[in-house]
Amino acid sequence: MEKKFMDKSAADQSLVAIENLIETYSPEFESIERNGVMSFLRKLQNIVASNNTLILKTINELLPLNFFVDDYQRGYKWMPQQVTELLNDIHEFELGGEDFYCLQPVVVKHHGPESTGQRGRWELIDGQQRMTTVYMILSYLEHNKYSIDYRTRTGSGEFLKQHLKNSLSFKDWDEFLNQHINGDQVSHLDNVDNYHFYTAYQVIHNWFSSEGRFNEAKDRGYWLDKLLNHTKVIWYAAREGTESLDKQQSI
């Protein structure tokens, strides 16, 4: 029994290594116009996914990736309390040995260029609330970050990319909208996702600006290091199905 467990553990580690290698070198392979190479990579990814392998990944390892939230999802809904709890949890986590703070599972599915018409991207099946909040934290701290696009509502992805940082200039959501509505035309930015993005980003700003939380600049750097290198997600990559069944399989 013990030998079987050890054999399975070694096999899982090998699958983790394969997954991480694919993730590291996939952008370079995608620049090669050879269908055979991309087909080979897809088969490797499906081998890993079909073994239900759970992989621990740091936030830093996710930064080169491109995510999207498909239109069947409910959108971003975290309230100020949940955003504050995440910030506090990382702040209060003390580094020691191999310890890390776990953000719980992130369930994804890889979509290659042949199905998206562009560079391969990861569909966020579960975990969009945490991943979007971390995206906004990294944006506030002016650090490199992964990309994330929302297909749930028109204008959500645009708000995250183009208006998130500037939204701090407005005292409330109505003032922001009034600035971005032309005449009687309702702004495409006026949706529930963007309202929650705006509110969460205000919470992040107020939390980092709280007097006495960070006495020196290096303290904020220490917090960022904990987020990037000592905060991990439980990464589960589902297998990509045929195009006609793919969305139903995700749901």
Side-chain angles (χ1 to χ4, degrees), residues 32-100:
I32 301 174
E33 296 182 0
R34 290 187 181 179
N35 293 332
V37 173
M38 296 312 301
S39 175
F40 172 70
L41 283 177
R42 188 72 61 251
K43 289 177 181 178
L44 278 180
Q45 283 178 319
N46 280 336
I47 288 173
V48 175
S50 65
N51 279 270
N52 298 321
T53 303
L54 300 177
I55 302 171
L56 286 171
K57 287 182 178 283
T58 64
I59 298 300
N60 201 38
E61 290 175 313
L62 304 180
L63 298 186
L65 307 186
N66 302 286
F67 296 97
F68 72 92
V69 178
D70 213 343
D71 55 12
Y72 65 84
Q73 300 253 23
R74 60 178 183 149
Y76 185 77
K77 290 289 188 290
W78 262 21
M79 304 300 289
Q81 179 182 350
Q82 293 163 298
V83 177
T84 301
E85 286 175 352
L86 173 59
L87 291 164
N88 285 338
D89 284 349
I90 297 173
H91 189 62
E92 294 166 4
F93 169 68
E94 294 293 336
L95 295 180
E98 299 297 321
D99 292 342
F100 61 89

Side-chain angles (χ1 to χ4, degrees), residues 12-228:
D12 287 346
Q13 289 178 11
S14 296
L15 290 170
V16 169
I18 292 172
E19 170 72 3
N20 287 333
L21 282 172
I22 292 172
E23 201 58 65
T24 300
Y25 293 102
S26 182
E28 296 182 27
F29 282 114
E30 286 169 4
S31 65
I32 301 174
E33 296 182 0
R34 290 187 181 179
N35 293 332
V37 173
M38 296 312 301
S39 175
F40 172 70
L41 283 177
R42 188 72 61 251
K43 289 177 181 178
L44 278 180
Q45 283 178 319
N46 280 336
I47 288 173
V48 175
S50 65
N51 279 270
N52 298 321
T53 303
L54 300 177
I55 302 171
L56 286 171
K57 287 182 178 283
T58 64
I59 298 300
N60 201 38
E61 290 175 313
L62 304 180
L63 298 186
L65 307 186
N66 302 286
F67 296 97
F68 72 92
V69 178
D70 213 343
D71 55 12
Y72 65 84
Q73 300 253 23
R74 60 178 183 149
Y76 185 77
K77 290 289 188 290
W78 262 21
M79 304 300 289
Q81 179 182 350
Q82 293 163 298
V83 177
T84 301
E85 286 175 352
L86 173 59
L87 291 164
N88 285 338
D89 284 349
I90 297 173
H91 189 62
E92 294 166 4
F93 169 68
E94 294 293 336
L95 295 180
E98 299 297 321
D99 292 342
F100 61 89
Y101 176 71
C102 187
L103 272 180
Q104 303 304 318
V106 170
V107 181
V108 294
K109 182 184 291 182
H110 189 269
H111 294 261
E114 65 272 19
S115 60
T116 63
Q118 54 189 299
R119 179 180 170 184
R121 302 206 292 173
W122 290 95
E123 175 188 352
L124 269 173
I125 299 174
D126 186 36
Q128 61 148 313
Q129 312 294 328
R130 282 158 283 150
M131 293 294 290
T132 304
T133 304
V134 170
Y135 174 96
M136 290 190 284
I137 293 171
L138 291 171
S139 179
Y140 182 79
L141 295 176
E142 298 183 334
H143 194 278
N144 295 334
K145 51 193 177 293
Y146 42 80
S147 70
I148 183 167
D149 185 43
Y150 271 73
R151 297 180 178 176
T152 51
R153 294 174 181 87
T154 302
S156 297
E158 178 188 333
F159 182 87
L160 282 176
K161 294 184 187 115
Q162 301 180 23
H163 301 285
L164 187 64
K165 293 184 72 65
N166 292 333
S167 69
L168 292 175
S169 303
F170 301 90
K171 65 180 180 181
D172 56 39
W173 178 241
D174 288 337
E175 184 181 45
F176 172 84
L177 287 180
N178 289 335
Q179 190 72 22
H180 293 83
I181 291 178
N182 298 319
D184 296 329
Q185 182 181 6
V186 177
S187 172
H188 67 290
L189 297 173
D190 185 9
N191 67 51
V192 68
D193 283 346
N194 290 346
Y195 170 75
H196 286 296
F197 294 154
Y198 171 85
T199 302
Y201 202 62
Q202 294 284 334
V203 171
I204 293 167
H205 168 70
N206 293 335
W207 191 88
F208 277 101
S209 302
S210 178
E211 186 176 353
R213 176 161 283 128
F214 297 103
N215 297 320
E216 300 179 21
K218 66 178 182 180
D219 294 335
R220 183 177 289 197
Y222 177 71
W223 191 97
L224 178 60
D225 177 66
K226 286 199 291 185
L227 172 64
L228 291 173

